[in-house]
Amino acid sequence: MTPIDVVSVADAPWHDVQAVFGTRGDPSSCWCQYFKMGAAEWKTANRATCEPLLQRQVRDLDPAPGLIAYLGGTPVGWCAVEPRANYPGLHRTRVEPGPEPIDDATVWAVTCFVVRVGFRKRGVGKALLAGAVDHARSHGARVLEGYPVDPTAREKVTSAELYYGIVSQFVANGFREVSRPTPDRALMRLELGT
């Protein structure tokens, strides 16, 4: 089995990031800006506005706001992970974040996964989440949160709805379920210590 390598997006060439986000579907227009924009701003967002925002965040934020996965040297996936304070739009989800103040820089969040068509069901998401845990821990995170979907609790889940990740993937990486505000969504947390 070909190993999956996970690196900071800051260490990936931009054309690799573009290959992962693609030109079709939700990732190609969102570029992981949904939770960073206000509701009014989001209504007019598209690739032309969102891609440059992510590119600027990669350049300006330390650490960079996510990870890229490679399978045999091919860029195949993305995971957004950074301090929860960088996601003011999290309140728009059906899952309320944990109890700490929103500006607590030691609480990080995993908000999005993108795995390219043709590379799904190969462990890319699991590898990205393991990389997110390491990334958050190495940059001082005390807690890492995720807001995944539980596909076993619904009759049908579209691939677009899986961008939050899935509950079993978080459980496999040591997260515990803290709450379940709806049957198909969970707040998952991993205490990382300091």
Side-chain angles (χ1 to χ4, degrees):
M1 189 165 161
T2 307
I4 299 167
D5 297 310
V6 177
V7 303
S8 168
V9 66
D11 298 329
W14 192 250
H15 59 83
D16 286 357
V17 180
Q18 290 173 317
V20 170
F21 280 90
T23 58
R24 298 180 7 200
D26 293 335
S28 70
S29 60
C30 178
W31 289 80
C32 280
Q33 300 305 302
Y34 177 71
F35 295 119
K36 294 183 176 189
M37 294 181 163
E41 187 181 15
W42 177 250
K43 286 181 181 179
T44 60
N46 57 38
R47 182 182 185 133
T49 57
C50 292
E51 181 181 355
L53 288 173
L54 180 59
Q55 194 168 25
R56 187 175 323 120
Q57 292 156 9
V58 170
R59 182 187 67 232
D60 295 347
L61 296 177
D62 185 22
L67 306 169
I68 295 289
Y70 290 88
L71 184 63
T74 301
V76 296
W78 155 266
C79 176
V81 56
E82 59 186 311
R84 188 177 69 186
N86 294 352
Y87 298 116
L90 274 176
H91 70 277
R92 291 193 306 259
T93 71
R94 294 184 290 161
V95 180
E96 283 293 317
E100 297 86 0
I102 195 68
D103 62 349
D104 185 337
T106 68
V107 179
W108 282 42
V110 175
T111 59
C112 182
F113 293 87
V114 176
V115 178
R116 291 173 62 188
V117 173
F119 297 98
R120 296 176 182 161
K121 299 186 179 192
R122 296 190 191 185
V124 174
K126 185 177 178 186
L128 281 164
L129 186 54
V133 169
D134 292 342
H135 182 71
R137 182 180 283 125
S138 70
H139 289 93
R142 178 179 53 81
V143 174
L144 183 58
E145 287 186 350
Y147 318 98
V149 174
D150 185 352
T152 67
R154 292 172 60 182
E155 189 173 313
K156 181 166 175 55
V157 178
T158 68
S159 60
E161 294 172 297
L162 296 177
Y163 77 91
Y164 292 111
I166 59 173
V167 168
S168 62
Q169 160 191 27
F170 280 79
V171 169
N173 277 282
F175 287 72
R176 69 180 176 83
E177 184 174 318
V178 174
S179 67
R180 184 141 325 205
T182 64
D184 63 335
R185 292 291 303 284
L187 168 60
M188 307 291 292
R189 287 171 57 103
L190 179 64
E191 304 288 332
L192 299 173
T194 51

